[in-house]
Amino acid sequence: MTDSSRRPLAVFDLDNTLADTAHRQRFLEHKPRDWDGFFAAAPEDPPIPQGVALVLESAEECEIVYLTGRPERCRRDTVAWLAAQGLPEGRIHMRRDNDRRPARRTKLEILRRLERTHEIRVLVDDDELVCQDAERAGFTVVRARWTAPSAALEAAQEREGRT
């Protein structure tokens, strides 16, 4: 049951929603994929203006939560990146380092856990499968379609459970 005295949540994905990963796609284009290189380059991601603006606007009425498929080992870099962009502090839900389930499963699981105690106003994510499953579960979704789709990243999110 939700607590009506709490602010509703606005839940934001990171990669290709707030952070432009185009410069690090090269690490995923060949097999074996260079996951260490891909995540090591994340601190250099430029912010995506549309996503940043939406977070700042949402923070006026909502508590901000970040929901990413990045592994837990990236937490320090992620916290520093969010602060460097001037984004609001918020809880960051990350994938366990050894969790290879598809993003749509891990993210929906966390959304359901969050909704037990909070109203979720919106989920903002670029992953179409995550968006579809969240909508089917009754969540309001904004599709972050402000970057070019990456087949390598889509495979990583769904089939390899990496981001």
Side-chain angles (χ1 to χ4, degrees):
M1 175 163 233
T2 60
D3 178 352
S4 60
S5 67
R6 293 184 180 189
R7 294 173 70 194
L9 303 181
V11 181
F12 285 83
D13 174 45
L14 295 177
D15 292 336
N16 289 329
T17 298
L18 301 177
D20 188 344
T21 66
H23 72 101
R24 53 187 171 115
Q25 293 303 311
R26 60 191 163 88
F27 293 106
L28 303 181
E29 292 170 356
H30 305 287
K31 294 205 175 176
R33 300 187 202 282
D34 180 1
W35 290 105
D36 290 338
F38 179 77
F39 289 119
E44 304 308 315
D45 290 353
I48 300 171
Q50 299 94 320
V52 169
L54 192 52
V55 170
L56 296 175
E57 178 185 323
S58 297
E60 294 174 13
E61 294 184 11
C62 298
E63 177 184 336
I64 302 300
V65 172
Y66 301 100
L67 176 57
T68 180
R70 291 180 185 185
E72 185 63 42
R73 69 181 181 274
C74 298
R75 181 171 293 275
R76 182 177 295 134
D77 285 344
T78 300
V79 169
W81 186 89
L82 291 166
Q85 309 317 312
L87 291 168
E89 288 185 15
R91 287 175 287 164
I92 304 170
H93 295 271
M94 303 181 88
R95 178 188 296 277
R96 291 185 316 275
D97 286 336
N98 61 353
D99 186 347
R100 298 288 185 263
R101 293 175 298 154
R104 67 184 198 199
R105 285 209 189 119
T106 60
K107 289 184 175 185
L108 195 58
E109 180 181 291
I110 292 167
L111 287 169
R112 286 184 171 137
R113 190 169 63 232
L114 290 172
E115 83 171 333
R116 289 185 204 139
T117 57
H118 292 78
E119 171 197 345
I120 298 177
R121 176 84 42 94
V122 67
L123 166 68
V124 183
D125 202 300
D126 70 305
D127 184 325
E128 184 59 32
L129 294 174
V130 169
C131 293
Q132 287 174 2
D133 284 2
E135 283 178 333
R136 276 195 284 271
F139 296 101
T140 300
V141 173
V142 170
R143 284 167 171 76
R145 291 184 172 150
W146 29 80
T147 62
S150 162
L153 189 58
E154 287 174 17
Q157 291 171 321
E158 181 57 22
R159 291 190 291 282
E160 298 178 28
R162 291 288 191 148
T163 185

